[in-house]
Amino acid sequence: MAETRRVGYARCSTDEQDVQIQTEQLRALGVPEDRIYIDRGFSGTTRRNRNGLDQALAAVWDSSVFTVTKFDRFARNMAEANDILTGLSGRGVLFGVGMTIHDWSDPFGRLFLQTLAMVAEFEANIGHQRTREGMALAKKNGKLKGKQPKLPAPARRSIRRRYAEGEVSLADLATEYSVGRSTIHRIIHNPET
């Protein structure tokens, strides 16, 4: 494949993860640097707000190859993978996973890509199940306490007392404690039981 025929897409689940390995692999597959589109901080289970994916899909043209290093970098949801692959095929775009290129309009290519989508969704569901189980166990053992207050209990008591006595305004307290006015409002109007 000539390098001008490929458009690449890379994704990592968190902002801290690095996509360097994926981008190096895409370049090795013949994807030019300026045709690699990246999303950071997305799990891939949904297409919502994935600007890199949207840009990559907009950058392909008839007889080009939309390329990813692994299928789960592209999608982890069968329905959305099916929609995107159908749209690419309708525009004459092939789909590349690593070195292999697949044609969604070919029954064997479609079967292979549907199998990859099914496995990717299964792996995502297993991961979600393990997370829920781990959180339930942590909650049971008292290690998962939910979102913690922004300010410690003594500061919250002082805020309630000083505000009740008319000593300071809500805005002054927010400035003093370096928090938003909504935080001070919650502390004052929703005292802990």
Side-chain angles (χ1 to χ4, degrees):
M1 279 282 137
E3 72 177 5
T4 57
R5 296 188 66 198
R6 285 188 181 255
V7 172
Y9 174 70
R11 179 192 61 78
C12 58
S13 300
T14 65
D15 289 329
E16 292 81 29
Q17 289 179 335
D18 191 0
V19 292
Q20 182 179 354
I21 292 172
Q22 289 178 66
T23 55
E24 287 174 4
Q25 290 172 342
L26 288 168
R27 282 195 305 270
L29 291 168
V31 180
E33 183 85 34
D34 64 339
R35 292 193 185 269
I36 297 175
Y37 300 88
I38 299 171
D39 277 320
R40 289 181 174 84
F42 293 95
S43 68
T45 54
T46 181
R47 183 175 169 187
R48 260 178 296 158
N49 301 320
R50 288 170 63 188
N51 293 332
L53 178 59
D54 292 337
Q55 292 169 351
L57 293 172
V60 294
W61 63 95
D62 185 25
S63 76
S64 64
V65 181
F66 183 97
T67 307
V68 294
T69 58
K70 297 178 190 165
F71 193 89
D72 69 350
R73 301 293 89 197
F74 162 66
R76 299 179 86 184
N77 171 309
M78 286 180 60
E80 288 184 354
N82 184 58
D83 289 344
I84 295 169
L85 290 167
T86 299
L88 289 172
S89 178
R91 294 168 53 199
V93 178
L94 299 173
F95 188 80
V97 181
M99 292 292 294
T100 62
I101 298 174
H102 305 279
D103 184 350
W104 184 249
S105 62
D106 173 65
F108 294 106
R110 183 180 293 238
L111 174 64
F112 182 72
L113 292 173
Q114 286 174 329
T115 303
L116 291 179
M118 183 174 58
V119 170
E121 184 171 317
F122 171 74
E123 289 176 340
N125 290 338
I126 291 293
H128 295 146
Q129 180 181 10
R130 288 182 183 142
T131 299
R132 285 190 302 273
E133 290 169 351
M135 290 175 71
L137 181 61
K139 187 174 184 177
K140 179 181 172 189
N141 294 333
K143 295 184 179 180
L144 182 66
K145 299 181 182 359
K147 186 176 180 182
Q148 299 301 306
K150 290 186 178 181
L151 297 172
R156 295 192 308 270
R157 284 192 298 272
S158 174
I159 288 168
R160 279 192 287 279
R161 179 190 55 77
R162 291 171 63 203
Y163 185 79
E165 293 172 358
E167 201 176 299
V168 289
S169 71
L170 195 123
D172 292 338
L173 287 166
T175 302
E176 180 181 337
Y177 286 94
S178 300
V179 295
R181 289 177 60 163
S182 60
T183 299
I184 299 297
H185 188 272
R186 274 192 303 276
I187 291 169
I188 292 167
H189 297 290
N190 300 319
E192 297 112 47
T193 55

Short mmCIF file of all heavy atoms in Angstrom, two decimals, residues 4 10 16 20 29 45 48 50 52 62 65 74 77 81 84 89 100 109 120 125 137 141 146-147 150 166 169-170 191:
data_model
loop_
_atom_site.label_atom_id
_atom_site.label_comp_id
_atom_site.label_asym_id
_atom_site.label_seq_id
_atom_site.Cartn_x
_atom_site.Cartn_y
_atom_site.Cartn_z
N THR A 4 0.23 7.18 1.13
CA THR A 4 -0.82 8.20 1.03
C THR A 4 -2.21 7.59 1.06
O THR A 4 -3.18 8.31 1.17
CB THR A 4 -0.66 9.02 -0.27
OG1 THR A 4 -0.69 8.13 -1.38
CG2 THR A 4 0.62 9.81 -0.25
N ALA A 10 -5.46 6.20 16.61
CA ALA A 10 -4.92 5.65 17.86
C ALA A 10 -5.76 6.17 19.01
O ALA A 10 -6.26 7.29 18.98
CB ALA A 10 -3.47 6.07 18.04
N GLU A 16 -3.23 9.86 30.95
CA GLU A 16 -1.87 9.55 31.35
C GLU A 16 -1.20 8.51 30.45
O GLU A 16 0.01 8.42 30.39
CB GLU A 16 -1.84 9.02 32.80
CG GLU A 16 -2.20 10.07 33.84
CD GLU A 16 -3.71 10.26 33.98
OE1 GLU A 16 -4.47 9.31 33.74
OE2 GLU A 16 -4.13 11.39 34.31
N GLN A 20 2.33 6.55 22.03
CA GLN A 20 3.55 6.51 21.23
C GLN A 20 3.73 5.17 20.52
O GLN A 20 4.07 5.15 19.33
CB GLN A 20 4.78 6.81 22.09
CG GLN A 20 6.07 6.83 21.30
CD GLN A 20 7.28 7.17 22.16
OE1 GLN A 20 7.14 7.48 23.32
NE2 GLN A 20 8.45 7.07 21.57
N LEU A 29 3.34 0.93 9.45
CA LEU A 29 2.38 0.38 8.50
C LEU A 29 2.19 1.27 7.28
O LEU A 29 1.41 0.95 6.39
CB LEU A 29 1.02 0.17 9.20
CG LEU A 29 0.97 -0.93 10.25
CD1 LEU A 29 -0.30 -0.84 11.07
CD2 LEU A 29 1.11 -2.30 9.59
N THR A 45 -15.73 2.38 24.38
CA THR A 45 -17.01 1.68 24.41
C THR A 45 -18.12 2.50 23.77
O THR A 45 -19.19 1.97 23.49
CB THR A 45 -17.42 1.32 25.85
OG1 THR A 45 -17.41 2.51 26.64
CG2 THR A 45 -16.49 0.29 26.44
N ARG A 48 -19.17 8.68 21.34
CA ARG A 48 -19.44 10.05 21.77
C ARG A 48 -18.18 10.82 22.11
O ARG A 48 -17.31 10.32 22.82
CB ARG A 48 -20.35 10.06 23.00
CG ARG A 48 -21.78 10.34 22.68
CD ARG A 48 -22.61 10.30 23.89
NE ARG A 48 -22.54 8.92 24.37
CZ ARG A 48 -22.78 8.54 25.60
NH1 ARG A 48 -23.10 9.40 26.50
NH2 ARG A 48 -22.71 7.29 25.95
N ARG A 50 -15.50 11.63 20.61
CA ARG A 50 -14.18 11.17 20.18
C ARG A 50 -13.79 11.95 18.92
O ARG A 50 -13.95 11.50 17.81
CB ARG A 50 -14.20 9.65 19.94
CG ARG A 50 -14.28 8.87 21.25
CD ARG A 50 -14.54 7.41 21.06
NE ARG A 50 -13.48 6.73 20.35
CZ ARG A 50 -13.58 5.47 19.94
NH1 ARG A 50 -14.66 4.77 20.15
NH2 ARG A 50 -12.59 4.91 19.28
N GLY A 52 -10.90 12.73 17.69
CA GLY A 52 -9.87 12.11 16.86
C GLY A 52 -10.46 11.11 15.89
O GLY A 52 -10.09 11.06 14.71
N ASP A 62 -12.27 7.35 -1.00
CA ASP A 62 -12.45 6.12 -1.76
C ASP A 62 -11.12 5.43 -2.01
O ASP A 62 -10.16 6.07 -2.43
CB ASP A 62 -13.15 6.44 -3.09
CG ASP A 62 -13.48 5.21 -3.89
OD1 ASP A 62 -13.64 4.12 -3.29
OD2 ASP A 62 -13.58 5.32 -5.12
N VAL A 65 -7.37 3.30 3.22
CA VAL A 65 -7.47 2.28 4.26
C VAL A 65 -7.47 2.97 5.63
O VAL A 65 -6.50 3.62 6.01
CB VAL A 65 -6.29 1.28 4.19
CG1 VAL A 65 -6.43 0.22 5.28
CG2 VAL A 65 -6.21 0.64 2.81
N PHE A 74 -10.11 0.89 18.12
CA PHE A 74 -11.13 1.50 17.25
C PHE A 74 -12.51 1.48 17.92
O PHE A 74 -13.17 2.50 17.99
CB PHE A 74 -11.14 0.72 15.93
CG PHE A 74 -12.36 0.90 15.09
CD1 PHE A 74 -12.66 2.12 14.52
CD2 PHE A 74 -13.20 -0.17 14.84
CE1 PHE A 74 -13.79 2.28 13.73
CE2 PHE A 74 -14.32 -0.02 14.05
CZ PHE A 74 -14.62 1.21 13.49
N ASN A 77 -17.66 -1.74 21.02
CA ASN A 77 -19.11 -1.82 21.02
C ASN A 77 -19.52 -2.30 19.63
O ASN A 77 -19.23 -1.65 18.63
CB ASN A 77 -19.66 -0.41 21.31
CG ASN A 77 -21.14 -0.29 21.14
OD1 ASN A 77 -21.71 -0.66 20.13
ND2 ASN A 77 -21.78 0.28 22.15
N ALA A 81 -19.40 -0.23 16.02
CA ALA A 81 -18.41 -0.73 15.06
C ALA A 81 -19.10 -1.06 13.75
O ALA A 81 -18.61 -0.71 12.67
CB ALA A 81 -17.69 -1.95 15.62
N ILE A 84 -20.05 2.22 11.90
CA ILE A 84 -18.89 2.92 11.33
C ILE A 84 -18.33 2.15 10.14
O ILE A 84 -18.03 2.72 9.09
CB ILE A 84 -17.80 3.13 12.39
CG1 ILE A 84 -18.31 4.07 13.50
CG2 ILE A 84 -16.54 3.71 11.77
CD1 ILE A 84 -17.41 4.14 14.73
N SER A 89 -17.42 1.42 4.36
CA SER A 89 -17.57 0.58 3.17
C SER A 89 -18.40 1.30 2.10
O SER A 89 -18.08 1.23 0.91
CB SER A 89 -18.24 -0.74 3.55
OG SER A 89 -18.42 -1.54 2.42
N THR A 100 -3.09 -6.49 8.20
CA THR A 100 -4.16 -7.05 7.37
C THR A 100 -5.18 -5.98 6.99
O THR A 100 -5.49 -5.09 7.76
CB THR A 100 -4.88 -8.20 8.10
OG1 THR A 100 -5.48 -7.71 9.28
CG2 THR A 100 -3.91 -9.32 8.43
N GLY A 109 -14.57 -10.90 5.08
CA GLY A 109 -14.05 -9.73 5.78
C GLY A 109 -15.02 -9.25 6.84
O GLY A 109 -14.63 -8.93 7.97
N ALA A 120 -14.04 -7.70 21.30
CA ALA A 120 -13.72 -6.42 21.95
C ALA A 120 -14.82 -6.02 22.92
O ALA A 120 -14.54 -5.57 24.04
CB ALA A 120 -13.50 -5.34 20.90
N ASN A 125 -16.96 -5.71 28.53
CA ASN A 125 -17.97 -6.10 29.51
C ASN A 125 -17.36 -6.84 30.69
O ASN A 125 -17.76 -6.63 31.83
CB ASN A 125 -19.07 -6.94 28.85
CG ASN A 125 -19.94 -6.13 27.92
OD1 ASN A 125 -20.01 -4.92 28.03
ND2 ASN A 125 -20.58 -6.81 26.98
N LEU A 137 -16.79 -5.06 46.67
CA LEU A 137 -15.97 -5.62 47.74
C LEU A 137 -15.33 -4.52 48.58
O LEU A 137 -15.32 -4.57 49.80
CB LEU A 137 -14.90 -6.55 47.16
CG LEU A 137 -13.98 -7.23 48.17
CD1 LEU A 137 -14.80 -8.13 49.10
CD2 LEU A 137 -12.92 -8.04 47.45
N ASN A 141 -15.98 -3.72 52.54
CA ASN A 141 -14.87 -3.66 53.50
C ASN A 141 -14.60 -2.25 54.02
O ASN A 141 -13.62 -2.02 54.71
CB ASN A 141 -13.60 -4.23 52.87
CG ASN A 141 -13.73 -5.71 52.58
OD1 ASN A 141 -14.48 -6.42 53.23
ND2 ASN A 141 -12.99 -6.19 51.59
N GLY A 146 -17.03 6.74 48.61
CA GLY A 146 -17.62 7.74 47.73
C GLY A 146 -16.78 9.01 47.69
O GLY A 146 -15.67 9.06 48.20
N LYS A 147 -17.36 10.04 47.10
CA LYS A 147 -16.65 11.30 46.95
C LYS A 147 -16.45 11.95 48.32
O LYS A 147 -17.40 12.13 49.08
CB LYS A 147 -17.44 12.23 46.03
CG LYS A 147 -16.72 13.50 45.70
CD LYS A 147 -17.50 14.33 44.70
CE LYS A 147 -16.76 15.61 44.39
NZ LYS A 147 -17.52 16.44 43.48
N LYS A 150 -14.55 18.38 50.05
CA LYS A 150 -13.40 19.18 49.65
C LYS A 150 -12.68 19.77 50.85
O LYS A 150 -11.48 20.04 50.78
CB LYS A 150 -13.82 20.29 48.70
CG LYS A 150 -14.25 19.79 47.35
CD LYS A 150 -14.53 20.93 46.40
CE LYS A 150 -14.90 20.37 45.04
NZ LYS A 150 -15.16 21.40 44.07
N GLY A 166 -23.06 35.76 60.98
CA GLY A 166 -22.98 36.94 60.13
C GLY A 166 -21.59 37.54 60.05
O GLY A 166 -21.40 38.68 59.63
N SER A 169 -19.32 36.74 54.48
CA SER A 169 -20.26 36.41 53.41
C SER A 169 -19.87 35.09 52.76
O SER A 169 -18.74 34.60 52.92
CB SER A 169 -20.28 37.51 52.36
OG SER A 169 -19.07 37.49 51.62
N LEU A 170 -20.79 34.55 52.01
CA LEU A 170 -20.55 33.32 51.26
C LEU A 170 -19.37 33.50 50.31
O LEU A 170 -18.49 32.64 50.23
CB LEU A 170 -21.83 32.98 50.48
CG LEU A 170 -21.92 31.58 49.94
CD1 LEU A 170 -23.18 30.93 50.48
CD2 LEU A 170 -21.98 31.62 48.43
N PRO A 191 -26.06 20.70 56.15
CA PRO A 191 -25.14 20.22 57.19
C PRO A 191 -25.20 18.70 57.32
O PRO A 191 -26.23 18.08 57.06
CB PRO A 191 -25.65 20.90 58.46
CG PRO A 191 -27.02 21.36 58.15
CD PRO A 191 -27.13 21.51 56.68
#
